[in-house]
């Protein structure tokens, strides 16, 4: 028993030393991000330039990230949550106030993406990527014009429609189709959206997450809801499917922002700020944005990426369209009302 | 010597305390507390009275029952055929049965996604025969297929291990006394294999009722099961939903314990009956 106790204690000590050991000569930043959401070559480039190591972890959705950041023993130093989650994190006082003197590259960020409603004055977050939500469709299967959300309810495409398996995106599409706000707190609107989604369910092929991309590239669906960055990825001439096209309905859509934040619990804020500054460097931002296909808020980087990107309406939608789009806001506990409706939708069986 | 032997069990006990008992205690604790903290039955009542939750529970039980029956109907003949084969052949086939289980079940389920897909092998065969393509993936049938496929070995193996130990001379004796093969099977083989059947049912039904990845991967999110519901409480709704999420887990746990108790009882009864047969 004693021996075992000794072994246990020793192994724990070794773990501790392994953890702190690294920090004595080189700081390690724990980065939590979405899958396929950074050019990983840049991580080693950063380590080469600064000597700061990166421990990179990924996960699948905003709600999961929120759970991780709420934990008391949160180990992460950098995260990339979306607008409404940042709003939530700020209200819970979980974010570190970024010292902008350490981020001179902030000057390259387009003013359009600064000082947004979810983080006035960018006290806690720095823009990383942005985009719209729209409809990705296969031009060989769809012959109607794709200019309204109603096409996702068209029975002609029964069994060929892919929806997102996340509450806010799918409920949001139904709310937009009905002409309501994405952030409505009117229960009648939410019930109407629920009815619309239940009516749509028989013609939906599946409610998926990231696998929507692979299915659409493989020709496994005619119409799908995707983020604009994913659409760029799917339409790529070499790795994607050239038959695919992307459209944002004329009536507007969801405009979203993923920003970089530092949790309040982080003890390596100076190094984290150095990494943010590195990501805002125009050359780095351009390489990163070209790699992952998402729209960069970095004006200098976009300039470097050239006309192919600047003139591409998926990548760089015209301002008139953006003016019609709406940003998600944190719903607080009201999310339960949305959730109940969404549960009724996905548990619905004829 | 004795002390030393005991010492070997300590890591195991520590392991069980940390990774099995402590989470269970936490589930029970959260299940009986309200969102504000403090003892309360609210979460359990919510979990039991919510119409959606009960509907999903009923569907999960129903799918698990169907999968168990299909596994039994497929698994028993397989086990029986294996047990009557030559030792060598049976051993090879037995290994072939186990080999896929060495691979993670998620990978195997992903493989079914590819097979069932519109460009998959089944649709290729259909198109070769000149038949129109079918939507196999993301149907209830696909969920059922995935469940049966993943859990079938758990039905075959216990039944096989009982049948292979069965005394063949008993069957011969029954035949000598004039019983036809069907009667031999019903009166001699079947009653003796009941313990295997029962542990097979337990090993299929319980994982099938708690599964959630299969319905997600092959059902395309259209067939919400109880496991998905629990996941949703913790992931989407966050900390305030932990009590209800735990209450749902607790209900599932009770359900599993009840079905295990029923199986135990059945096994016990079968044991007595078996004794009478002797």
């Amino acid at each position: 028993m004693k021996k075992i106790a000794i072994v246990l204690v020793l192994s724990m000590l070794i773990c501790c030393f392994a953890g702190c050991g690294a920090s004595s000569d080189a700081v390690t930043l724990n980065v939590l991000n979405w899958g396929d959401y950074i050019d990983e070559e840049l991580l080693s480039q950063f380590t080469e330039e600064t000597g700061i190591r990166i421990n990179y972890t990924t996960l699948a959705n905003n709600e999961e990230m929120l759970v991780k950041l709420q934990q008391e023993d949160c180990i992460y130093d950098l995260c990339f949550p979306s607008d409404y989650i940042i709003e939530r994190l700020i209200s819970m006082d979980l974010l570190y106030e970024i010292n902008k003197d350490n981020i001179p590259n902030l000057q390259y960020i387009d003013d359009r993406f600064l000082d947004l409603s979810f983080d006035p004055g960018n006290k806690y977050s720095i823009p990383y990527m942005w985009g719209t939500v729209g409809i990705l469709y296969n031009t060989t299967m769809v012959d109607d014009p794709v200019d309204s959300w109603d096409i996702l309810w068209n029975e002609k495409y029964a069994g060929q429609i892919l929806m997102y398996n996340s509450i806010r995106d799918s409920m949001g599409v139904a709310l937009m189709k009905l002409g309501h706000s994405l952030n409505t707190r009117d229960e009648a609107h939410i019930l109407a959206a629920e009815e619309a989604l239940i009516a749509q369910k028989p013609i939906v092929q599946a409610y998926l997450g990231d696998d929507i991309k692979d299915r659409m590239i493989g020709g496994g669906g005619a119409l799908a809801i995707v983020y604009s960055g994913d659409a760029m990825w799917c339409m790529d001439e070499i790795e994607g499917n050239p038959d695919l096209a992307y459209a944002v309905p004329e009536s507007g859509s969801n405009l979203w922002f993923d920003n970089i934040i530092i949790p309040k619990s982080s003890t390596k804020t100076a190094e984290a700020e150095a990494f943010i500054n590195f990501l805002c460097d125009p050359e780095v931002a351009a390489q990163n944005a070209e790699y992952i296909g998402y729209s960069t808020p970095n004006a200098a980087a976009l300039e470097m990426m050239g006309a192919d990107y600047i003139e591409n309406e998926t990548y760089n939608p015209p301002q008139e369209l953006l003016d019609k789009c709406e940003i998600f806001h944190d719903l607080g506990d009201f999310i339960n009302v949305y959730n109940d409706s969404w549960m009724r939708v996905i548990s619905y069986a004829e | 010597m004795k002390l030393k032997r005991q010492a070997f069990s300590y890591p195991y006990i520590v392991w069980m305390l940390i990774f099995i008992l402590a989470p269970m205690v936490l589930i029970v604790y959260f299940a009986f507390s309200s969102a504000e903290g403090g003892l309360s039955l609210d979460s359990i009542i919510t979990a039991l009275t919510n119409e959606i939750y009960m509907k999903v529970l009923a569907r999960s039980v129903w799918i698990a029952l169907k999968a168990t029956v299909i596994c039994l109907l497929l698994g028993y003949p397989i086990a029986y055929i294996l047990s009557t084969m030559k030792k060598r052949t049976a051993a090879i086939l037995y290994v072939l049965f186990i080999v896929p289980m060495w691979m993670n079940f998620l990978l195997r389920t992903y493989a079914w996604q590819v097979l069932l897909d519109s460009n998959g092998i089944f649709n290729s065969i259909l198109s070769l025969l000149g038949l129109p393509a079918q939507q196999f993936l993301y149907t209830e049938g696909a969920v059922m297929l995935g469940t049966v496929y993943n859990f079938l070995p758990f039905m075959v193996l216990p039944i096989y291990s009982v049948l292979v130990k069965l005394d063949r001379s008993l069957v011969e004796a029954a035949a000598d006394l004039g019983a036809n093969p069907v009667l031999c099977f019903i009166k001699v083989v079947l009653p003796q294999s009941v313990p295997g059947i029962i542990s097979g049912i337990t090993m299929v039904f319980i994982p099938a009722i708690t599964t959630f990845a299969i319905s997600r991967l092959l059902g395309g999110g259209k067939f919400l099961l109880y496991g998905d519901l629990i996941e949703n409480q913790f992931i989407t709704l966050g900390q305030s939903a932990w009590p209800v999420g735990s209450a749902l887990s607790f209900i599932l746990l009770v359900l599993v314990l009840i079905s295990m108790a029923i199986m135990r009882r059945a096994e016990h009864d079968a044991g007595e009956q078996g004794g009478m047969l002797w």
Side-chain angles (χ1 to χ4, degrees), chain A residues 80-118:
Chain A
F80 300 74
S82 303
D83 33 46
Y84 68 106
I85 296 293
I86 293 175
E87 199 173 357
R88 178 74 169 266
L89 290 165
I90 293 174
S91 73
M92 295 168 94
D93 193 24
L94 287 170
L95 298 186
Y96 167 79
E97 202 172 315
I98 295 171
N99 180 357
K100 294 201 200 75
D101 293 341
N102 291 338
I103 308 176
N105 287 338
L106 195 59
Q107 56 169 312
Y108 299 116
I109 304 289
D110 191 333
D111 281 344
R112 287 192 294 164
F113 307 111
L114 294 172
D115 196 22
L116 294 167
S117 57
F118 57 87

Tab-separated table of all heavy atoms in Angstrom, chain A residues 80-118:
chain	number	residue	atom	x	y	z
A	80	PHE	N	-11.675	31.968	-29.233
A	80	PHE	CA	-12.208	32.661	-30.410
A	80	PHE	C	-13.733	32.566	-30.473
A	80	PHE	O	-14.287	32.108	-31.458
A	80	PHE	CB	-11.604	32.054	-31.691
A	80	PHE	CG	-10.105	32.159	-31.753
A	80	PHE	CD1	-9.306	31.342	-30.975
A	80	PHE	CD2	-9.496	33.066	-32.597
A	80	PHE	CE1	-7.914	31.426	-31.026
A	80	PHE	CE2	-8.114	33.157	-32.661
A	80	PHE	CZ	-7.319	32.339	-31.874
A	81	PRO	N	-14.456	32.984	-29.442
A	81	PRO	CA	-15.912	32.828	-29.452
A	81	PRO	C	-16.607	33.830	-30.376
A	81	PRO	O	-16.013	34.809	-30.816
A	81	PRO	CB	-16.303	33.073	-28.002
A	81	PRO	CG	-15.221	33.910	-27.445
A	81	PRO	CD	-13.979	33.586	-28.207
A	82	SER	N	-17.898	33.564	-30.631
A	82	SER	CA	-18.693	34.456	-31.478
A	82	SER	C	-19.306	35.581	-30.655
A	82	SER	O	-19.374	35.515	-29.428
A	82	SER	CB	-19.807	33.676	-32.163
A	82	SER	OG	-19.250	32.635	-32.906
A	83	ASP	N	-19.817	36.565	-31.404
A	83	ASP	CA	-20.395	37.779	-30.841
A	83	ASP	C	-21.280	37.595	-29.606
A	83	ASP	O	-20.996	38.132	-28.541
A	83	ASP	CB	-21.190	38.504	-31.937
A	83	ASP	CG	-21.830	37.530	-32.904
A	83	ASP	OD1	-22.426	36.548	-32.417
A	83	ASP	OD2	-21.744	37.732	-34.131
A	84	TYR	N	-22.349	36.773	-29.744
A	84	TYR	CA	-23.314	36.701	-28.636
A	84	TYR	C	-22.729	36.012	-27.409
A	84	TYR	O	-23.130	36.276	-26.278
A	84	TYR	CB	-24.619	36.037	-29.083
A	84	TYR	CG	-24.552	34.564	-29.432
A	84	TYR	CD1	-25.071	33.599	-28.584
A	84	TYR	CD2	-24.011	34.133	-30.635
A	84	TYR	CE1	-25.040	32.256	-28.911
A	84	TYR	CE2	-23.979	32.801	-30.972
A	84	TYR	CZ	-24.489	31.861	-30.111
A	84	TYR	OH	-24.450	30.535	-30.443
A	85	ILE	N	-21.733	35.126	-27.636
A	85	ILE	CA	-21.077	34.471	-26.503
A	85	ILE	C	-20.160	35.472	-25.795
A	85	ILE	O	-20.054	35.477	-24.563
A	85	ILE	CB	-20.282	33.242	-26.985
A	85	ILE	CG1	-21.226	32.194	-27.579
A	85	ILE	CG2	-19.472	32.631	-25.849
A	85	ILE	CD1	-22.171	31.547	-26.597
A	86	ILE	N	-19.528	36.349	-26.571
A	86	ILE	CA	-18.678	37.380	-25.963
A	86	ILE	C	-19.531	38.287	-25.077
A	86	ILE	O	-19.159	38.628	-23.954
A	86	ILE	CB	-17.948	38.185	-27.065
A	86	ILE	CG1	-16.953	37.270	-27.779
A	86	ILE	CG2	-17.244	39.410	-26.474
A	86	ILE	CD1	-16.258	37.879	-28.964
A	87	GLU	N	-20.719	38.634	-25.595
A	87	GLU	CA	-21.644	39.469	-24.819
A	87	GLU	C	-21.951	38.792	-23.474
A	87	GLU	O	-21.927	39.426	-22.421
A	87	GLU	CB	-22.925	39.625	-25.646
A	87	GLU	CG	-23.794	40.781	-25.249
A	87	GLU	CD	-24.958	40.961	-26.224
A	87	GLU	OE1	-25.040	40.216	-27.230
A	87	GLU	OE2	-25.789	41.828	-25.968
A	88	ARG	N	-22.185	37.492	-23.551
A	88	ARG	CA	-22.490	36.723	-22.349
A	88	ARG	C	-21.293	36.708	-21.391
A	88	ARG	O	-21.432	36.922	-20.192
A	88	ARG	CB	-22.850	35.289	-22.782
A	88	ARG	CG	-23.163	34.329	-21.659
A	88	ARG	CD	-24.532	34.645	-21.104
A	88	ARG	NE	-24.999	33.609	-20.213
A	88	ARG	CZ	-25.770	32.598	-20.595
A	88	ARG	NH1	-26.129	32.477	-21.854
A	88	ARG	NH2	-26.191	31.718	-19.722
A	89	LEU	N	-20.104	36.442	-21.973
A	89	LEU	CA	-18.894	36.363	-21.155
A	89	LEU	C	-18.605	37.695	-20.466
A	89	LEU	O	-18.170	37.734	-19.308
A	89	LEU	CB	-17.695	35.953	-22.023
A	89	LEU	CG	-17.704	34.509	-22.527
A	89	LEU	CD1	-16.693	34.325	-23.652
A	89	LEU	CD2	-17.406	33.540	-21.387
A	90	ILE	N	-18.862	38.809	-21.178
A	90	ILE	CA	-18.638	40.122	-20.576
A	90	ILE	C	-19.599	40.314	-19.405
A	90	ILE	O	-19.206	40.742	-18.320
A	90	ILE	CB	-18.812	41.246	-21.619
A	90	ILE	CG1	-17.697	41.159	-22.666
A	90	ILE	CG2	-18.792	42.623	-20.947
A	90	ILE	CD1	-17.855	42.126	-23.827
A	91	SER	N	-20.866	39.924	-19.626
A	91	SER	CA	-21.846	40.138	-18.554
A	91	SER	C	-21.521	39.269	-17.339
A	91	SER	O	-21.903	39.585	-16.223
A	91	SER	CB	-23.263	39.855	-19.059
A	91	SER	OG	-23.434	38.466	-19.212
A	92	MET	N	-20.809	38.163	-17.564
A	92	MET	CA	-20.441	37.294	-16.440
A	92	MET	C	-19.087	37.690	-15.858
A	92	MET	O	-18.592	37.010	-14.953
A	92	MET	CB	-20.388	35.842	-16.900
A	92	MET	CG	-21.741	35.317	-17.331
A	92	MET	SD	-21.553	33.745	-18.169
A	92	MET	CE	-21.802	32.664	-16.802
A	93	ASP	N	-18.487	38.730	-16.409
A	93	ASP	CA	-17.209	39.231	-15.918
A	93	ASP	C	-16.116	38.156	-16.001
A	93	ASP	O	-15.355	37.954	-15.064
A	93	ASP	CB	-17.367	39.726	-14.467
A	93	ASP	CG	-16.161	40.553	-14.027
A	93	ASP	OD1	-15.474	41.100	-14.911
A	93	ASP	OD2	-15.904	40.607	-12.812
A	94	LEU	N	-16.041	37.476	-17.125
A	94	LEU	CA	-15.062	36.396	-17.273
A	94	LEU	C	-13.902	36.788	-18.191
A	94	LEU	O	-13.023	35.980	-18.439
A	94	LEU	CB	-15.736	35.138	-17.839
A	94	LEU	CG	-16.636	34.377	-16.869
A	94	LEU	CD1	-17.438	33.314	-17.601
A	94	LEU	CD2	-15.814	33.738	-15.759
A	95	LEU	N	-13.929	38.027	-18.716
A	95	LEU	CA	-12.905	38.376	-19.689
A	95	LEU	C	-11.903	39.381	-19.145
A	95	LEU	O	-12.219	40.244	-18.321
A	95	LEU	CB	-13.556	38.939	-20.960
A	95	LEU	CG	-14.482	37.978	-21.691
A	95	LEU	CD1	-14.941	38.588	-23.002
A	95	LEU	CD2	-13.802	36.648	-21.934
A	96	TYR	N	-10.691	39.273	-19.656
A	96	TYR	CA	-9.591	40.162	-19.295
A	96	TYR	C	-9.663	41.396	-20.194
A	96	TYR	O	-9.917	41.286	-21.396
A	96	TYR	CB	-8.283	39.398	-19.507
A	96	TYR	CG	-7.043	40.242	-19.491
A	96	TYR	CD1	-6.483	40.681	-18.293
A	96	TYR	CD2	-6.414	40.583	-20.683
A	96	TYR	CE1	-5.335	41.450	-18.281
A	96	TYR	CE2	-5.256	41.351	-20.681
A	96	TYR	CZ	-4.728	41.786	-19.482
A	96	TYR	OH	-3.595	42.542	-19.484
A	97	GLU	N	-9.456	42.551	-19.597
A	97	GLU	CA	-9.496	43.790	-20.380
A	97	GLU	C	-8.174	43.947	-21.131
A	97	GLU	O	-7.120	44.096	-20.515
A	97	GLU	CB	-9.751	44.984	-19.460
A	97	GLU	CG	-10.320	46.147	-20.230
A	97	GLU	CD	-10.754	47.277	-19.296
A	97	GLU	OE1	-11.408	46.993	-18.254
A	97	GLU	OE2	-10.433	48.421	-19.601
A	98	ILE	N	-8.237	43.885	-22.467
A	98	ILE	CA	-7.022	43.839	-23.277
A	98	ILE	C	-6.318	45.195	-23.283
A	98	ILE	O	-6.963	46.241	-23.451
A	98	ILE	CB	-7.376	43.398	-24.712
A	98	ILE	CG1	-7.892	41.954	-24.682
A	98	ILE	CG2	-6.179	43.500	-25.642
A	98	ILE	CD1	-8.465	41.476	-25.980
A	99	ASN	N	-5.009	45.143	-23.110
A	99	ASN	CA	-4.205	46.368	-23.166
A	99	ASN	C	-3.812	46.623	-24.622
A	99	ASN	O	-2.957	45.947	-25.183
A	99	ASN	CB	-2.969	46.188	-22.293
A	99	ASN	CG	-2.094	47.423	-22.308
A	99	ASN	OD1	-2.385	48.393	-23.020
A	99	ASN	ND2	-1.034	47.397	-21.530
A	100	LYS	N	-4.457	47.606	-25.240
A	100	LYS	CA	-4.277	47.793	-26.685
A	100	LYS	C	-2.900	48.351	-27.038
A	100	LYS	O	-2.480	48.270	-28.194
A	100	LYS	CB	-5.392	48.658	-27.252
A	100	LYS	CG	-6.740	47.959	-27.160
A	100	LYS	CD	-7.729	48.535	-28.129
A	100	LYS	CE	-9.151	48.203	-27.721
A	100	LYS	NZ	-9.623	49.008	-26.579
A	101	ASP	N	-2.176	48.864	-26.031
A	101	ASP	CA	-0.808	49.326	-26.320
A	101	ASP	C	0.063	48.169	-26.786
A	101	ASP	O	1.046	48.362	-27.498
A	101	ASP	CB	-0.182	49.946	-25.059
A	101	ASP	CG	-0.905	51.228	-24.690
A	101	ASP	OD1	-1.591	51.774	-25.576
A	101	ASP	OD2	-0.818	51.648	-23.522
A	102	ASN	N	-0.318	46.956	-26.362
A	102	ASN	CA	0.461	45.776	-26.743
A	102	ASN	C	0.057	45.234	-28.107
A	102	ASN	O	0.599	44.235	-28.561
A	102	ASN	CB	0.296	44.670	-25.699
A	102	ASN	CG	0.963	45.050	-24.394
A	102	ASN	OD1	1.858	45.888	-24.390
A	102	ASN	ND2	0.504	44.456	-23.301
A	103	ILE	N	-0.961	45.835	-28.716
A	103	ILE	CA	-1.433	45.319	-30.000
A	103	ILE	C	-1.398	46.431	-31.045
A	103	ILE	O	-2.454	46.889	-31.514
A	103	ILE	CB	-2.842	44.709	-29.857
A	103	ILE	CG1	-2.820	43.706	-28.708
A	103	ILE	CG2	-3.277	43.998	-31.149
A	103	ILE	CD1	-4.122	43.098	-28.384
A	104	PRO	N	-0.201	46.883	-31.428
A	104	PRO	CA	-0.120	47.974	-32.417
A	104	PRO	C	-0.758	47.592	-33.753
A	104	PRO	O	-1.246	48.478	-34.467
A	104	PRO	CB	1.393	48.201	-32.563
A	104	PRO	CG	2.055	47.004	-31.972
A	104	PRO	CD	1.122	46.459	-30.951
A	105	ASN	N	-0.767	46.308	-34.085
A	105	ASN	CA	-1.330	45.891	-35.376
A	105	ASN	C	-2.846	46.094	-35.469
A	105	ASN	O	-3.433	45.860	-36.524
A	105	ASN	CB	-0.998	44.432	-35.666
A	105	ASN	CG	0.459	44.258	-36.039
A	105	ASN	OD1	1.100	45.220	-36.477
A	105	ASN	ND2	0.984	43.063	-35.842
A	106	LEU	N	-3.441	46.512	-34.378
A	106	LEU	CA	-4.872	46.794	-34.386
A	106	LEU	C	-5.210	47.868	-35.431
A	106	LEU	O	-6.315	47.932	-35.947
A	106	LEU	CB	-5.299	47.254	-32.988
A	106	LEU	CG	-6.786	47.275	-32.668
A	106	LEU	CD1	-7.395	45.896	-32.823
A	106	LEU	CD2	-7.023	47.776	-31.252
A	107	GLN	N	-4.213	48.706	-35.775
A	107	GLN	CA	-4.433	49.779	-36.752
A	107	GLN	C	-4.854	49.237	-38.120
A	107	GLN	O	-5.445	49.966	-38.910
A	107	GLN	CB	-3.141	50.600	-36.900
A	107	GLN	CG	-1.963	49.718	-37.277
A	107	GLN	CD	-0.733	50.506	-37.689
A	107	GLN	OE1	-0.824	51.413	-38.490
A	107	GLN	NE2	0.407	50.143	-37.117
A	108	TYR	N	-4.533	47.967	-38.415
A	108	TYR	CA	-4.860	47.421	-39.733
A	108	TYR	C	-6.305	46.941	-39.835
A	108	TYR	O	-6.775	46.604	-40.907
A	108	TYR	CB	-3.927	46.253	-40.069
A	108	TYR	CG	-2.468	46.663	-40.124
A	108	TYR	CD1	-1.547	46.151	-39.214
A	108	TYR	CD2	-2.033	47.568	-41.082
A	108	TYR	CE1	-0.217	46.534	-39.251
A	108	TYR	CE2	-0.699	47.956	-41.129
A	108	TYR	CZ	0.198	47.437	-40.212
A	108	TYR	OH	1.504	47.823	-40.257
A	109	ILE	N	-6.976	46.834	-38.691
A	109	ILE	CA	-8.349	46.305	-38.710
A	109	ILE	C	-9.289	47.371	-39.273
A	109	ILE	O	-9.229	48.541	-38.888
A	109	ILE	CB	-8.798	45.903	-37.283
A	109	ILE	CG1	-7.816	44.900	-36.661
A	109	ILE	CG2	-10.217	45.357	-37.299
A	109	ILE	CD1	-7.822	43.531	-37.247
A	110	ASP	N	-10.151	46.951	-40.173
A	110	ASP	CA	-11.156	47.819	-40.782
A	110	ASP	C	-12.081	48.386	-39.689
A	110	ASP	O	-12.575	47.633	-38.842
A	110	ASP	CB	-11.958	46.967	-41.775
A	110	ASP	CG	-12.858	47.800	-42.667
A	110	ASP	OD1	-13.261	48.889	-42.247
A	110	ASP	OD2	-13.150	47.334	-43.780
A	111	ASP	N	-12.307	49.702	-39.722
A	111	ASP	CA	-13.153	50.339	-38.706
A	111	ASP	C	-14.553	49.730	-38.612
A	111	ASP	O	-15.194	49.793	-37.567
A	111	ASP	CB	-13.307	51.840	-39.026
A	111	ASP	CG	-12.078	52.614	-38.592
A	111	ASP	OD1	-11.286	52.052	-37.800
A	111	ASP	OD2	-11.901	53.763	-39.049
A	112	ARG	N	-15.012	49.157	-39.750
A	112	ARG	CA	-16.361	48.579	-39.747
A	112	ARG	C	-16.508	47.464	-38.703
A	112	ARG	O	-17.603	47.110	-38.309
A	112	ARG	CB	-16.657	47.968	-41.116
A	112	ARG	CG	-16.906	48.966	-42.214
A	112	ARG	CD	-17.462	48.257	-43.418
A	112	ARG	NE	-16.496	47.331	-44.017
A	112	ARG	CZ	-16.822	46.375	-44.883
A	112	ARG	NH1	-18.085	46.194	-45.213
A	112	ARG	NH2	-15.914	45.590	-45.400
A	113	PHE	N	-15.365	46.858	-38.333
A	113	PHE	CA	-15.439	45.698	-37.440
A	113	PHE	C	-15.015	46.008	-36.016
A	113	PHE	O	-14.853	45.127	-35.192
A	113	PHE	CB	-14.596	44.555	-38.018
A	113	PHE	CG	-14.964	44.247	-39.422
A	113	PHE	CD1	-14.115	44.521	-40.476
A	113	PHE	CD2	-16.210	43.714	-39.697
A	113	PHE	CE1	-14.489	44.263	-41.778
A	113	PHE	CE2	-16.599	43.455	-40.996
A	113	PHE	CZ	-15.740	43.723	-42.047
A	114	LEU	N	-14.823	47.292	-35.753
A	114	LEU	CA	-14.450	47.695	-34.400
A	114	LEU	C	-15.653	48.348	-33.725
A	114	LEU	O	-16.577	48.822	-34.396
A	114	LEU	CB	-13.277	48.680	-34.451
A	114	LEU	CG	-11.953	48.088	-34.971
A	114	LEU	CD1	-10.925	49.188	-35.158
A	114	LEU	CD2	-11.429	47.017	-34.031
A	115	ASP	N	-15.613	48.363	-32.396
A	115	ASP	CA	-16.628	49.068	-31.624
A	115	ASP	C	-18.038	48.578	-31.953
A	115	ASP	O	-18.935	49.366	-32.188
A	115	ASP	CB	-16.502	50.578	-31.901
A	115	ASP	CG	-17.247	51.390	-30.865
A	115	ASP	OD1	-17.484	50.865	-29.764
A	115	ASP	OD2	-17.612	52.539	-31.176
A	116	LEU	N	-18.230	47.256	-32.005
A	116	LEU	CA	-19.552	46.710	-32.306
A	116	LEU	C	-20.354	46.549	-31.015
A	116	LEU	O	-19.787	46.568	-29.921
A	116	LEU	CB	-19.410	45.374	-33.027
A	116	LEU	CG	-18.766	45.511	-34.413
A	116	LEU	CD1	-18.346	44.168	-34.961
A	116	LEU	CD2	-19.719	46.210	-35.380
A	117	SER	N	-21.666	46.364	-31.195
A	117	SER	CA	-22.559	46.426	-30.033
A	117	SER	C	-22.240	45.390	-28.954
A	117	SER	O	-22.468	45.637	-27.783
A	117	SER	CB	-24.000	46.258	-30.499
A	117	SER	OG	-24.122	45.038	-31.191
A	118	PHE	N	-21.698	44.219	-29.340
A	118	PHE	CA	-21.483	43.199	-28.303
A	118	PHE	C	-20.271	43.499	-27.424
A	118	PHE	O	-20.120	42.934	-26.355
A	118	PHE	CB	-21.366	41.799	-28.917
A	118	PHE	CG	-20.273	41.660	-29.946
A	118	PHE	CD1	-18.980	41.338	-29.570
A	118	PHE	CD2	-20.555	41.861	-31.291
A	118	PHE	CE1	-17.982	41.210	-30.519
A	118	PHE	CE2	-19.552	41.738	-32.244
A	118	PHE	CZ	-18.269	41.421	-31.859
